[in-house]
Amino acid sequence: AAEKITYMTNWLAQAEHGGYYQAVADGTYAACGLDVTIQQGGPQVSGRPLLLAGKIDFYMGGNLLQAFDAVQQNIPLRIVAASFQKEPQVVMSHPGQGLDKWEDLKNADQYILGDEGAQSFFQWMITEFGFDPAKRVPYTFNAAPFIANAKSIQQGYVTSEPFAVEKEGGFKPNTFLLADYGFSTYATTIEAMQETIDKRPEVVKCFVDGSAKGWYNYLYGDNKAANEAIKKDNPDITDEQIAFSIEQMKKFGIVDSGDAEKLGIGAMTDEHIAGFYDKMVKAKVIPEGLDIKKAYTLDFVNKGVGLDLKK
Amino acid sequence: MVPSTTVPGMEGSGKPLLSLRAVGKTFSNGVTALSNVDMTIREGDFLSLLGPSGCGKSTALRIIAGLTAPTTGTLDWSRKPGEESSVGFVFQEPTLLPWASVFDNVWLPLRLKGVSRSDAAPAVSQLLERVHLSGFENAVPRELSGGMKMRVSIARALVTKPRVLLMDEPFAALDEITRFKLNNDLLELWQDERFTVVFVTHSVFESVFLSNRIVVMAARPGRVFQEVEVDAPYPRDEAFRTSPAYAALCRQASDVLVSAINSTHGAAA
Amino acid sequence: MVPSTTVPGMEGSGKPLLSLRAVGKTFSNGVTALSNVDMTIREGDFLSLLGPSGCGKSTALRIIAGLTAPTTGTLDWSRKPGEESSVGFVFQEPTLLPWASVFDNVWLPLRLKGVSRSDAAPAVSQLLERVHLSGFENAVPRELSGGMKMRVSIARALVTKPRVLLMDEPFAALDEITRFKLNNDLLELWQDERFTVVFVTHSVFESVFLSNRIVVMAARPGRVFQEVEVDAPYPRDEAFRTSPAYAALCRQASDVLVSAINSTHGAAA
Amino acid sequence: MTAVESSVATLDPEEARRLRRERLERIGSWVLPLAIMVLAIWLWDRICVWNEIPQYILPRPGVVLQTLYNDAALLFGSLLVTLRITFLGLLLAVVGGVGLAVLFAQSKWVEMSFFPFAIVLQVTPIVAIFPLINIYVDNQTAKLLLCAWIVAFFPILSNTTLGLNSVDRNLRDLFRLNGATRWQELWHLRLPAAMPYFLGGLKIAGGLSLIGAVVAEFVAGASGQSSGLASRIIEAGYRLNAPRLFAALILISLAGIVIFLVLSLVSHLILRRWHESALKQER
Amino acid sequence: MTAVESSVATLDPEEARRLRRERLERIGSWVLPLAIMVLAIWLWDRICVWNEIPQYILPRPGVVLQTLYNDAALLFGSLLVTLRITFLGLLLAVVGGVGLAVLFAQSKWVEMSFFPFAIVLQVTPIVAIFPLINIYVDNQTAKLLLCAWIVAFFPILSNTTLGLNSVDRNLRDLFRLNGATRWQELWHLRLPAAMPYFLGGLKIAGGLSLIGAVVAEFVAGASGQSSGLASRIIEAGYRLNAPRLFAALILISLAGIVIFLVLSLVSHLILRRWHESALKQER
Ligand SMILES: Nc1ncnc2c1ncn2[C@@H]1O[C@H](COP(=O)(O)OP(=O)(O)OP(=O)(O)O)[C@@H](O)[C@H]1O
Ligand SMILES: Nc1ncnc2c1ncn2[C@@H]1O[C@H](COP(=O)(O)OP(=O)(O)OP(=O)(O)O)[C@@H](O)[C@H]1O
Ligand SMILES: [Mg+2]
Ligand SMILES: [Mg+2]
């Protein structure tokens, strides 16, 4: 019988999770013996402790920083694949308010940033670009304050918030992809505990490979079933939004770009991770001298799995 | 009813102050506390309400004070209702502010009229001495005995020198000696100041000693059974207490009370 | 102190039940309510505590009941303390459960002993009738007059047929006629059942009529002023009330009370 | 006799005035609150218009009402989910609060020993400990209930403890004299005497358990299936669907008011025969 | 006389027992709570060990204490920030709660008309309306205070209202007879009579305003340097620094206990002369 495992995402079901839903829907995981349940996260929901406690098998990490934190805290947590080559995180501003350039953004009245953002990329923005920590207000995943205040900036995923703002606010916000300004982290990672890797490597392999294939199929194949599954988990999402997200992912090469084009979706390289770590050390976001090799393993990626599915 | 006559020694008495006309009171639980009560209180009267327990004395007093509205009948004040009338009231239970000292409790009515603590002090102290509570100024009510609480309540009612004094069994919790003493004090005060007193009591002796008129009430329903005129001159003193006239009056009042009670218990038991 | 003698008609009386020895009580606020009280209560006694307001009668009664611990001196019970003793207590204030009906309030002591409502009903009804409260079974305390509340409290104390009955001015809120009636009832009951009564009162007449011994107390500090033996045979009835012997005894007790009070007021005022 | 006659003349208007006032009060007690409510809603509308507040920030009441109507099925479904947790939470809060209060009333020692834990529960932010709950409690409803309970139980505990300690001394003595057991004293004396306090605490806890249910859902995440009003609010916020967000908020507010009214009624019915706070002003 | 002598013999041990019990109680009232606390901490430690719970999920108490010590400067700094909001929030809650209660006590109409708004405030989830607050309130402290106030004011309002309505009828009549103005009745009668209820509400509100301050910070965020305990918790949670997270939680709990004890003491001092709940058992 197929082995039951749970993968928890870090947000409500959306197109950014499409690959996994695809692999569940079209039986890719089942083909290598996994019965995968996708448990969606959401605002205020913190799934990582469930991974640490062994209640779930895999967790969707936001970026690499938390994996570094895990190393610092001696937590045996590892990234086994990075589905997104680029962090889709953007900062948005109102056009024509003197906030049209990345360098100007720090002059905004208010930075509307979520807690996770404030703890990760915002730290980098402070030390690297001189953003003022006192101007930060929490983002409660409601864009109204941003739309109301023309002098504010707000975080968002390139794949969703700009769409919502444009629809409701009636203007097209400036978007600044953090990846373009040096925040070169992988994103939407698959995290697992060392114990899982040691004791059930075939499960990890199946899940990583299946996810890669799922992503290829979702982006380039027939993703109808996956979208239905997403809409079932998150009834409020619209087809329009999903289409927008997929288009943006493709446009910005979120999933399939760089190393992934040769090594397959999920690819990670030592150099890239080390490069990001050095930047973060320089920006004093993370302390020096961590053994960051403990934060990830390349055992399951870079095998070009699924490249053949790309049309 | 016996027609009112001027009592010797109390010439001012006689001008009607308040008339109760066919007053009745039925509580929301259906108990009729008073039924068809007619009564006239004259200025300068020392009127006693005498009657068995539960006959509606307290209710009548509360109606007179305006604390309870009658369900039937009317109250006719000879003075305009707006006119500032100072009323002293002694509740059947002590009704003291539990958080305030004895002094502050007695001071209260004056305080509400804007008299400062130091201005009130002489009057308060004098009254506390009169009720034998000097030295307890700083005690709070829970540190007092039952009788002491009642005496604080009496002092409080007198502190404003009210023109109308309504007292609900004020001396019931006191020993006879103290009671006699306070009876004398009250009578003296009344003769000096000529205020009007409505005095609820269950003691025949007390009512005869103090009042010029006794309204004897009967119960179930509470009603005026008979009015007794106490035809004895003021001032009344210890000599009066031992006089045959007093004894006769007591016997008379007692007989009325007994018939009033029998008219009740016969019906109930 | 007068040595105890057997009272005619009450042959059982005489075995000491409780002795207070040099009992004193000083409250935390520094007031000395009792000082050096010696007193012996004998089985079958009808002992009255008579004294001016604030002299410590209630405090003494609470000490006897074990509700208050004396600060000095000792209490000696002739029975082992563990022995189940049924005590009836009438507080100076009615002390009823405000949420319970009259019936339930009287039922309470039996209920606490496990007697069901229906089993208790005859005894409760009978007592309510005795205190003239039939028909008020379902009223709650706030719907009662002051005297009625007190009568509920009396019925409650009697409902368990206690061997020791402690009463704190139980009849103070009642009219004289009802009071006399209840006096007679209580005496009758006492002669039938031969329980022990400690009876606080401020009425000389009542204490003489009821008790075989009167302990007259004086105040500041509360102390035993003198003990008066009431040397009159039981049963005592209305005839006794009008007898010269009664009048003489009253005068005697009254004189003692006056000296007790003078010994107080002289000191205080 | 002129005095009396004149007084008859002056008294009647007073009586009439009193009657008029009473009638007015009876009507006013319903009309006025409604009028104020309507006024408030009107003001809300005006403020939106005067300040040209865009709909995605603060929608006008009409729009919200329209949404409430349009999304009725969805929103009322969610309301039911939330209310279920609220009531269960309140029930647990009553049981837990009263139970602990009774325990604490047994002895000063017990109270001193365990009250600190109750305070710890009260002041611990659910958001912070939820990950722990999430790990060790599997059942979703149990998680939500635990959160709602933690939020709501303290007022009941605190008020009931206060009530149990506010019993008239003489009544306590009476029970002592009659050889009442601890349990009898509790049951026949302390608990009834604590009623007004307990019911006061209950009124506070009613609203708190509603907010507890909402917060619990916020924290526990509305994983699709059991989506109560909180999830609707988050989603609507995320989608910038302000009218729906406010419709959900209004449902919560209404639920809160109804819960309060029901608890007030219960309180009134229990206390009306004897406690000052519930007595009709009988004059 | 044998009876008396025998009773002397039986009485002395009783007296001795009473004294012994009193002494025990005096000691126990300090020792027992401490012992229970220690036991609880020991249990926590054992549970971690027995179940092999990894530190990053639930750290052992020793580790937390160590962290508390190591990070003392940081954590106590944050504690001060949080306590500042707590106290200001509590102050506002007292002013607002008592003020509204007094207003409501003026007339049934006012109460019926405005109580619903108080309930709305109580049950509205702060997270949901924070965007609105964020838009219209500029000052960061004001935002935090508003949130803390919304959380804490209701118990004071509700309890004080109850207290103001629980005044003895006869005392009210007494004031009427003496021609007391509304204001005098309030000041000299109703407010003192409501004291025990108000203080009960205050004890609930103390903890709530602490949790309000924390929640406010969770929701409203804190600006950089002056971040309170909530930010520390979020940060520690995000950094997977469980020991620091628990150290912060423990500080909050301790603060809650201290606030409760202080408010209990205040309550005791105010009430000890007259109210049952605060009277020493004088026998
Ligand atoms: N609030 C109330 N609700 C219902 N019935 C009441 C209320 N107050 C008094 N009663 C009833 O009204 C009657 C008269 O009561 P009231 O207090 O006037 O008697 P009283 O003459 O003062 O008696 P006492 O001498 O015992 O004080 C009693 O039968 C009592 O039960
Ligand atoms: N709890 C207390 N705290 C302090 N002092 C008290 C307390 N109770 C009573 N006292 C004082 O003790 C003295 C005796 O009080 P007690 O109640 O025994 O008097 P009493 O003889 O019953 O008077 P009364 O006839 O007025 O009821 C009084 O001076 C009183 O002030
Ligand atoms: Mg009366
Ligand atoms: Mg007494």
Side-chain angles (χ1 to χ4, degrees), chain B residues 146-165:
Chain B
M148 290 160 92
K149 277 185 244 181
M150 215 50 219
R151 284 182 275 155
V152 175
S153 178
I154 294 166
R156 182 181 59 193
L158 293 174
V159 80
T160 50
K161 299 193 191 305
R163 293 308 304 159
V164 178
L165 188 58

Side-chain angles (χ1 to χ4, degrees), chain A residues 18 27 53 65 80 83 104 134 153 181 199 217 223 254-255 271 287 289 304:
Chain A
L65 280 174
V80 294
S83 297
D104 298 333
I153 60 173
Y181 298 92
K199 294 197 176 142
N217 286 328
N223 57 18
I254 299 293
V255 181
E271 303 79 59

Side-chain angles (χ1 to χ4, degrees), chain D residues 119 123, chain E residues 79 83 210 229 250-260:
Chain D
I119 299 168
V123 301
Chain E
L79 178 64
L83 284 183
L210 177 60
L229 284 176
I250 281 189
L251 273 190
I252 292 179
S253 296
L254 285 182
I257 293 173
V258 169
I259 290 173
F260 188 86

Side-chain angles (χ1 to χ4, degrees), chain A residues 207-222:
Chain A
F207 187 72
V208 170
D209 289 351
S211 300
K213 290 179 196 160
W215 270 113
Y216 281 115
N217 286 328
Y218 185 72
L219 289 178
Y220 307 114
D222 174 12

Side-chain angles (χ1 to χ4, degrees), chain B residues 145-147, chain C residues 57-59 92 168-169 200:
Chain B
S145 78
Chain C
K57 302 183 295 293
S58 298
T59 307
Q92 190 168 5
D168 199 348
E169 312 198 6
V200 171

Side-chain angles (χ1 to χ4, degrees), chain B residues 57-59 92 168-169 200, chain C residues 145-147:
Chain B
K57 303 182 294 295
S58 298
T59 307
Q92 192 168 5
D168 199 347
E169 313 197 5
V200 171
Chain C
S145 77

